[in-house]
Amino acid sequence: AVRGRATCSPSHGATALRMAAAMAAVAVAAAFATVAVAAPAAAPVAYTHCKWLSNDARRVRVRWAAARERNAMRIELSAATAGWLALGVSADGTMGTEATPADVALGYVWRDGGGDGVPHVRDYVAKGEVRPELDARQDVVALGGSFVDGVTTVTFERPIAARDGDGDDRSIDVDGDAFVMYAVGEQLPLRDDGVLFERHAQRGAVHLNNWNLSPQVCDDEPPPTIAGAVARGAGAADQLAPLRELGIAGPLWGLAADSANNAWSSDDENVKVEWKTNNTHVQFNYTVGGSALGWIGLGLSRTASMPNSDIIIVAKEGTTWVVIDAHTTEQRAAPVKDKQQDVALVEVVVDGGGVRVVLERALITTDENDLDIVDLDVALLWAYHDTSHQWQQQRHVARGAATVNFVGGGGGGSTTTTAATTAT
């Protein structure tokens, strides 16, 4: 079984030894995966479409061409990294689940001492916020690759229509839309068997309205903004990076309440949420008016119900306002504080009209208890207490839910419920 084909010929002894080592690694990797792919066409293919996936220093770009008669899509993926890079498709832009896995191709250029080396691309399956695993059947074929001036490029083919039969691969609707994910690692895998590699330094997702409607060529530089794109780095510092450093910060409360894609308010306008996004972060301006001087909460849910929701609480600890990144596990249980805190409290304003807070977080974090914010409808949950800051003991006096799309815009109806103050 052959993993990939190098772009350089084995003209030196060191290269020959490297090739031999790579072939030996195949035998080790065989315990993890079985190669079952047809050889790709040798003739070069002109790429018919191109898409910048990030507009930052990573400069992630993908080019592709579909060969329907061979049930194959040829893909070229490049990024500013000396490590690995990956491209995947999933149902909703996330890392998938057991029921609906994400289909991922991960590649790198294996080298010793720098320069061009041997390209490898392998087929992986992702079933949640865990390290992707080698697919039992390898339906990705490496065609080439390079590492030049700090940029890694890999070229590979994968089937258009999935043919593994076990549900781990996803078919590509060439004439339809898709969520395309990418990830970039700063280091090469720990060994050349595709099993051990460090966590991504950055990842993101882009919603393609139609594979065939993407531009045929990409500009030399990525655009200032990338529609439908989300991305993030791995460190806590960049998760809390203020949006003002990214060039999009500003007073959100100056936005009109009925502005498309950036605001929602309750029917009585007592609760109002405004937001602004760029490719990596979201900033919320959350206002609760009237007599709300206790804790206030904001939540995100795929189902508009409390179980397994992503919750943000703002409350006082002593005389200081703090933010708590939390989640729920059961319908009637109080939220549980996340082990990883991914929300920054930018500002709190308390006046006769209630409480207003400004919050920031990454669109996609590494916390399994956080909900990824992508181009999909999501339930926006809100709740507050009028006097108490004991958010784990005192239930809300009012709560509600609305349907919004933070990235793509749009929204639906909302509901509001009031309740007497009770202890849990």
Side-chain angles (χ1 to χ4, degrees):
V2 179
R3 286 291 184 192
R5 183 170 59 210
T7 57
C8 53
S9 61
S11 56
H12 302 287
T15 303
L17 289 174
R18 184 168 62 244
M19 292 290 289
M23 294 300 292
V26 171
V28 176
F32 299 92
T34 301
V35 177
V37 294
V45 172
Y47 294 106
T48 56
H49 300 282
C50 181
K51 177 76 173 177
W52 284 103
L53 301 181
S54 81
N55 64 348
D56 52 24
R58 290 292 178 188
R59 298 174 60 84
V60 184
R61 186 185 72 175
V62 60
R63 300 196 297 168
W64 67 91
R68 300 180 194 236
E69 71 282 1
R70 294 193 295 110
N71 186 36
M73 180 174 283
R74 182 165 295 191
I75 297 172
E76 178 195 85
L77 180 65
S78 62
T81 180
W84 59 265
L85 62 170
L87 188 77
V89 290
S90 73
D92 56 5
T94 67
M95 290 291 287
T97 64
E98 286 285 343
T100 56
D103 188 3
V104 179
L106 185 148
Y108 53 89
V109 177
W110 190 255
R111 59 195 183 276
D112 49 7
D116 289 342
V118 180
H120 294 273
V121 185
R122 294 183 172 93
D123 190 2
Y124 292 78
V125 58
K127 298 181 179 180
E129 293 294 332
V130 295
R131 187 195 305 271
E133 299 178 352
L134 279 169
D135 203 334
R137 167 174 166 146
Q138 291 290 292
D139 284 309
V140 170
V141 178
L143 303 180
S146 64
F147 175 65
V148 179
D149 296 331
V151 176
T152 295
T153 302
V154 293
T155 305
F156 59 96
E157 279 193 1
R158 57 146 294 163
I160 296 174
R163 58 192 183 196
D164 63 353
D166 58 9
D168 287 345
D169 285 350
R170 295 188 64 86
S171 296
I172 293 176
D173 181 0
V174 178
D175 299 310
D177 67 342
F179 282 97
V180 178
M181 308 177 300
Y182 72 88
V184 179
E186 294 180 340
Q187 304 293 329
L188 288 171
L190 301 182
R191 60 176 189 250
D192 188 27
D193 60 5
V195 177
L196 294 177
F197 51 92
E198 294 184 352
R199 192 177 184 86
H200 60 266
Q202 180 172 308
R203 71 171 183 175
V206 172
H207 182 235
L208 292 181
N209 289 326
N210 189 306
W211 287 88
N212 276 333
L213 294 181
S214 295
Q216 293 185 351
V217 295
C218 284
D219 294 333
D220 292 338
E221 296 293 328
T225 59
I226 298 175
V230 293
R232 63 159 311 277
D238 71 276
Q239 292 176 24
L240 304 181
L243 292 186
R244 64 186 66 82
E245 296 180 5
L246 301 172
I248 69 165
L252 298 188
W253 44 92
L255 299 174
D258 58 352
S259 297
N261 304 345
N262 59 25
W264 171 87
S265 61
S266 59
D267 291 342
D268 60 5
E269 298 188 352
N270 188 56
V271 178
K272 184 176 183 179
V273 182
E274 298 166 292
W275 61 90
K276 182 183 289 187
T277 63
N278 69 352
N279 287 336
T280 61
H281 287 69
V282 60
Q283 187 180 78
F284 298 107
N285 185 76
Y286 177 31
T287 302
V288 180
S291 61
L293 296 176
W295 64 260
I296 60 175
L298 196 66
L300 307 176
S301 170
R302 292 285 187 220
T303 63
S305 60
M306 283 297 291
N308 302 314
S309 295
D310 185 6
I311 305 294
I312 302 171
I313 303 289
V314 179
K316 272 188 178 181
E317 290 185 356
T319 59
T320 304
W321 286 90
V322 298
V323 61
I324 301 96
D325 187 5
H327 65 279
T328 55
T329 58
E330 297 179 6
Q331 181 74 35
R332 294 293 181 181
V336 179
K337 185 176 181 178
D338 290 357
K339 293 181 180 179
Q340 178 174 308
Q341 293 292 293
D342 294 307
V343 182
L345 179 60
V346 178
E347 184 177 27
V348 179
V349 177
V350 181
D351 55 29
V355 180
R356 183 180 72 226
V357 298
V358 179
L359 305 162
E360 296 173 359
R361 61 153 277 187
L363 294 171
I364 297 178
T365 77
T366 58
D367 189 347
E368 64 181 4
N369 292 314
D370 289 344
L371 187 70
D372 287 350
I373 299 176
V374 295
D375 189 3
L376 287 174
D377 284 351
V378 64
L380 173 67
L381 312 177
W382 59 266
Y384 65 86
H385 196 280
D386 54 353
T387 58
S388 175
H389 290 273
Q390 301 300 315
W391 57 274
Q392 288 182 307
Q393 285 77 41
Q394 295 291 337
R395 293 188 64 208
H396 58 269
V397 296
R399 65 182 174 91
T403 302
V404 300
N405 186 323
F406 293 116
V407 176
S414 62
T415 59
T416 302
T417 302
T418 59
T421 302
T422 58
T424 57

